Amino acid sequence: TFLLSKFFLAGRYPIPLALTLLIPLPFLFHSVYKQFLNKDLPHSLTKIIQITAALFVILSVDSLVSLGASKIHIKKAGDWISTAYNTQEKALFTNNSLVQFYASGQYTKRVKEPKIDIVINKIKQGELQHYNLLAIDIGRKESNKKAPLISALNLEPIKVFENNRGDSILIFQQ
C-alpha cells in the first residue's frame, strides 16, 4: 500500500481520476430514475434510494442554514481586538487561529491549537508574560475552566464574547 500511495496515487492523480469517474454518473442516475418511475426496482433498492434522497435534502438544507453553534462571537472578538488595539504594537496570544486572523488580518498556520488546560499551565509557568493581550477561547464543555483561568491570571477579563450555546472568548490585558 505504501508503494501504491507513494508512486501511483500521487497528488496529481486523484482529481483527474475523480473527474473521469464522474462522467457516467448522469447516465446512471437517468437509468435508475427511469426504473424507479416504472417500479422495476426491488423494494429494498427503492428504500435505499428514498433514504439517500432524504439525506441529500437534509444535507442541502444544512449547508444553507447552519444548525450548529454560531461562530459569530469569534469574529466579533477578533474585530474588537483589531479596532481597540493596534496588534502590531501589542503582542496577542490566542488559542483560536480564527481570532488571530480577525484580529490581525493575517493567517498564521498552527499545527495544533492549545487546549484550555495547556493554556492555564502556560500561564502558571509564566510562559505567556510577554503577551500584552490574551484572547482565550473556552468551549461550552470547558465552561468550568473559567474560574481557574481567571485565578491563574489574577485578572478579570476586559471583554467577554459569547454565543448562545455557551462558547466564549475571554480577553485579558496584562
Side-chain angles (χ1 to χ4, degrees), residues 68-74 77 96 136-143 146 160-170:
S70 170
K71 302 289 185 197
I72 194 73
H73 70 291
I74 295 173
N96 187 317
I136 309 299
D137 184 12
I138 299 178
R140 63 184 163 271
K141 294 179 182 175
E142 302 167 326
S143 62
K146 285 182 185 178
V160 177
F161 296 91
E162 293 182 317
N163 68 2
N164 55 353
R165 298 240 177 127
D167 299 323
S168 60
I169 296 182
L170 284 73

Side-chain angles (χ1 to χ4, degrees), residues 111-135:
V111 176
K112 190 174 182 183
E113 294 175 341
K115 296 188 182 206
I116 189 66
D117 293 327
I118 295 171
V119 172
I120 292 172
N121 286 337
K122 285 185 177 194
I123 291 169
K124 287 180 180 177
Q125 294 170 1
E127 294 179 26
L128 303 180
Q129 290 296 327
H130 61 280
Y131 292 101
N132 304 96
L133 290 173
L134 302 174

Side-chain angles (χ1 to χ4, degrees), residues 54-117:
L55 286 174
F56 180 74
V57 168
I58 290 169
L59 291 174
S60 297
V61 169
D62 183 49
S63 69
L64 296 173
V65 179
S66 177
L67 301 175
S70 170
K71 302 289 185 197
I72 194 73
H73 70 291
I74 295 173
K75 183 178 185 323
K76 285 182 179 178
D79 288 344
W80 183 83
I81 291 169
S82 69
T83 56
Y85 296 98
N86 183 355
T87 54
Q88 308 301 336
E89 296 173 5
K90 299 276 187 179
L92 171 68
F93 172 84
T94 181
N95 61 338
N96 187 317
S97 60
L98 288 175
V99 173
Q100 177 75 35
F101 171 76
Y102 288 118
S104 66
Q106 299 173 351
Y107 177 71
T108 54
K109 185 178 179 183
R110 281 200 182 153
V111 176
K112 190 174 182 183
E113 294 175 341
K115 296 188 182 206
I116 189 66
D117 293 327

